[in-house]
Amino acid sequence: MSRQYTLHAARSTSIHIDYAAELNGQQLAAVTAQPGPQLIIAGAGSGKTRTLTYRVAYLLENGIDPRNILLLTFTNKAARQMLDRVANLLPIDASGLWGGTFHSVGNRMLRRHGSALGYNSGFTIMDREDQKDLINTVVASAGIDPKEIRFPKGDVLAEIFSFVVNTETALEELLAEKFPYFLPLLEKITDVHGRYEKKKKATNSVDFDDLLEKTLSMLQKHENIASFYRRQFQFILVDEYQDTNKIQADLIDLLAREHRNIMVVGDDAQSIYSWRGANFQNILEFPKRYPDAKVFKIEMNYRSVPEILEVANAAIAANVDQFQKNLQPTRESAAAKPAVVALNDGSEQAQFIAQRILELRDEDVDLNEIAVLYRAHYHALELQLELSRRGIPYQITSGVRFFEQAHIKDVISFIRFVANPRDEVAFKRMVKLLPGIGNRSAENLWNAWDKSLNERGEITSFSERLLAMSVNAKSKKHWTQLAQTLDEIAPGGQPNPPSEMITSVVEAIYDDYAKVNFTNYELRREDLNQLAAFARQFKDVNEFLSQLALISNVDAEAAPNQTADKEAVNLSTVHQAKGLEFHTVFVIWLTDGMFPSSRSIDTREALEEERRLFYVAITRAKDELYLTYPHMRLTGGYGDVFQRPSRFLREIPNKLVEDWQVQRG
């Protein structure tokens, strides 16, 4: 006969931390909550990380062995920072605590038990470049020649397979939703996916998504392994829970199934990553999955002045799917309310922001403490030009500068070439976009082109010369298309207006190229449409190209100084700015179709995510907030278009903001 014997955790004989003194009442309630499922709704600037850190310390002080705690974060840096803070709070060795990202924890489990799935502990984790190369190898082995058909490149296939894993969506359903132009290739893509899975197994390799998918599969199929980890992780804490995807939520639920001591911390109002697989329903339905869960709200905001918080609370109020909360200020009132500023067009908007930035600098606001936030990268196009003209240093938090992006430079290469047929760099960049033309072919083609220039002088027809050149059979069709397109954009050798050229190049050649080469095709197409619109202000191709060069050269000249004094205005998409804060924030292009984006207006779910994005933008501001919108917008082919102010602006009561009337001096 066996006997059950329970080991009880040793209780700490002395409490080292005065939690009531260190935390506000809302934080204290969450930190000292009894075991069981808990959902902490932590508003923007409310001390979410502090709450989570003190919860870990509280568990350790109350005798919980560090080895029985699992802390899941979205970056390893965040986990290290929290554990460092815990170490500073308590004289306890917490080195046994498992803390890190979902992927790092999955890696540890697979290294220990991956043999259950047929992997040995020395498996290779492929990075995206390795993954792309392996997929391209598999595509070749499947008898698919990407030079003959426009088949998605390795990068794009990797993105498709990643979505399938993280959203637990069938491949056909995913293609229909996100990549409809690849649906005719469903059978071939399915075959490649199967071959890719077999190839990974054969080479004892996993990709980044496998660290989640294979770990969950292992725990679902092998109860002995799942039981081992359920016994080990008696307390599970999850940061940024609103950003988890379906597979991450399933993994957490499986590990917490028996003890149910799970604390998830997040802010449903800052759930803005559905486009990369995050599932908003995870945080919204947590109380349904755990009916006995206690919900704590932390609403005391330490970041922003009351006037900004009032606007933030009003901005999110219209959302139906949310946990109701109301950010409460801890700071004193400011001298001015947030400003709503109407401008004539994008150019005037840029001038206003540049001038106001210089005024703020004169008021001793550091440029680093100023941010301009926007919904999409191309919204900052006119602003980058204006800041460059005025010598105001800036840095792009959301990636490379607009005119330095690959797809922008690709399309510009056509324009550079017809403006200057001796531009070797532009010629080679342009022809390498065609299937079957690599570096060597491009060099041979350039030599042939250069020879024709020297022999025949002035160009009256690009196609006449290009079609006389020798290209390989696989490239012949696309070479003919290139020749015809160059004649279309520069009839008789004379370039059309820049905007018309951009539209022609995109429609004739580049759109097909972008679909198979870029995972974010739709965003890049938006960039190119806006580039065509921007170019409408230039009738002369050389003036247009000179302005682009001006931006690049001014930025290059400013870079050494910028590095020296570390002072620059921050330009960023709202997505990239999440988690950051600034003295002054400008939110620009607040018009319907721009922010919210035109793609999000059709469904309530999409529109509510856009409203959450607007809320995130507002809550980045500590002291001053400017909400700007132009009345008119240039488009590539339809002239000036009248813009309606964003519906989000109309939802904010007039009494909460100050209307600025901008006049020309």
Side-chain angles (χ1 to χ4, degrees), residues 279-290:
N279 191 335
F280 177 59
Q281 296 302 317
N282 288 347
I283 191 167
L284 211 61
E285 296 184 353
F286 186 85
K288 296 179 183 177
R289 298 204 312 281
Y290 295 87

Side-chain angles (χ1 to χ4, degrees), residues 4-10 63 67-68 234:
Q4 298 292 324
Y5 185 82
T6 304
L7 281 175
H8 297 286
R67 291 171 296 182
N68 296 137
Q234 292 298 305

Side-chain angles (χ1 to χ4, degrees), residues 160-408:
I160 291 172
F161 299 160
S162 179
F163 267 110
V164 167
V165 169
N166 288 301
T167 61
E168 298 182 353
T169 304
L171 180 57
E172 183 174 8
E173 183 183 340
L174 181 83
L175 290 182
E177 181 184 346
K178 287 190 169 293
F179 304 88
Y181 38 88
F182 290 144
L183 268 175
L185 300 171
L186 173 64
E187 189 176 331
K188 285 184 169 64
I189 294 174
T190 301
D191 177 51
V192 168
H193 191 210
R195 290 169 179 262
Y196 173 59
E197 290 298 318
K198 290 178 183 176
K199 193 73 170 176
K200 285 189 293 183
K201 194 73 169 286
T203 57
N204 196 41
S205 302
V206 299
D207 59 36
F208 205 55
D209 297 308
D210 287 331
L211 298 177
L212 297 180
E213 195 271 334
K214 298 288 189 280
T215 300
L216 180 60
S217 176
M218 177 180 72
L219 296 175
Q220 289 171 333
K221 294 176 181 176
H222 299 276
E223 178 56 32
N224 61 321
I225 301 174
S227 178
F228 171 81
Y229 283 110
R230 279 197 288 263
R231 286 195 305 272
Q232 176 173 345
F233 300 134
Q234 292 298 305
F235 288 85
I236 300 174
L237 301 94
V238 186
D239 190 19
E240 302 284 11
Y241 188 68
Q242 79 279 351
D243 294 334
T244 54
N245 58 34
K246 182 70 167 62
I247 200 169
Q248 289 166 332
D250 288 348
L251 185 60
I252 296 163
D253 290 347
L254 186 149
L255 291 173
R257 183 181 298 163
E258 292 173 11
H259 58 72
R260 305 176 82 254
N261 292 328
I262 174 172
M263 173 182 278
V264 299
V265 182
D267 183 4
D268 58 295
Q270 296 187 68
S271 179
I272 57 174
Y273 294 116
S274 66
W275 53 276
R276 69 181 190 197
N279 191 335
F280 177 59
Q281 296 302 317
N282 288 347
I283 191 167
L284 211 61
E285 296 184 353
F286 186 85
K288 296 179 183 177
R289 298 204 312 281
Y290 295 87
D292 56 335
K294 290 185 171 61
V295 179
F296 298 90
K297 294 181 182 178
I298 304 176
E299 300 168 302
M300 299 298 292
N301 176 284
Y302 293 89
R303 176 184 299 154
S304 306
V305 294
E307 290 78 5
I308 291 175
L309 294 185
E310 286 182 338
V311 170
N313 287 329
I316 199 66
N319 270 12
V320 175
D321 290 336
Q322 67 168 313
F323 293 103
Q324 294 294 331
K325 61 180 172 299
N326 194 51
L327 292 179
Q328 299 294 321
T330 58
R331 294 182 58 194
E332 295 182 0
S333 283
K337 295 177 181 179
V340 173
V341 190
L343 291 310
N344 286 330
D345 53 27
S347 178
E348 188 172 276
Q349 178 179 243
Q351 292 169 36
F352 165 75
I353 292 168
Q355 180 172 312
R356 188 72 193 110
I357 285 171
L358 292 174
E359 291 168 351
L360 287 164
R361 187 68 188 87
D362 289 342
E363 295 166 16
D364 291 329
V365 178
D366 194 296
L367 292 182
N368 289 337
E369 281 293 312
I370 301 172
V372 183
L373 305 183
Y374 35 83
R375 173 64 183 85
H377 198 46
Y378 68 82
H379 292 181
L381 200 155
E382 292 101 339
L383 181 61
Q384 289 187 46
L385 183 60
E386 187 65 28
L387 294 177
S388 297
R389 283 172 176 161
R390 299 198 186 206
I392 301 173
Y394 65 91
Q395 57 185 2
I396 308 287
T397 309
S398 51
V400 297
R401 297 164 190 266
F402 183 87
F403 296 106
E404 293 169 5
Q405 298 175 103
H407 55 298
I408 301 297

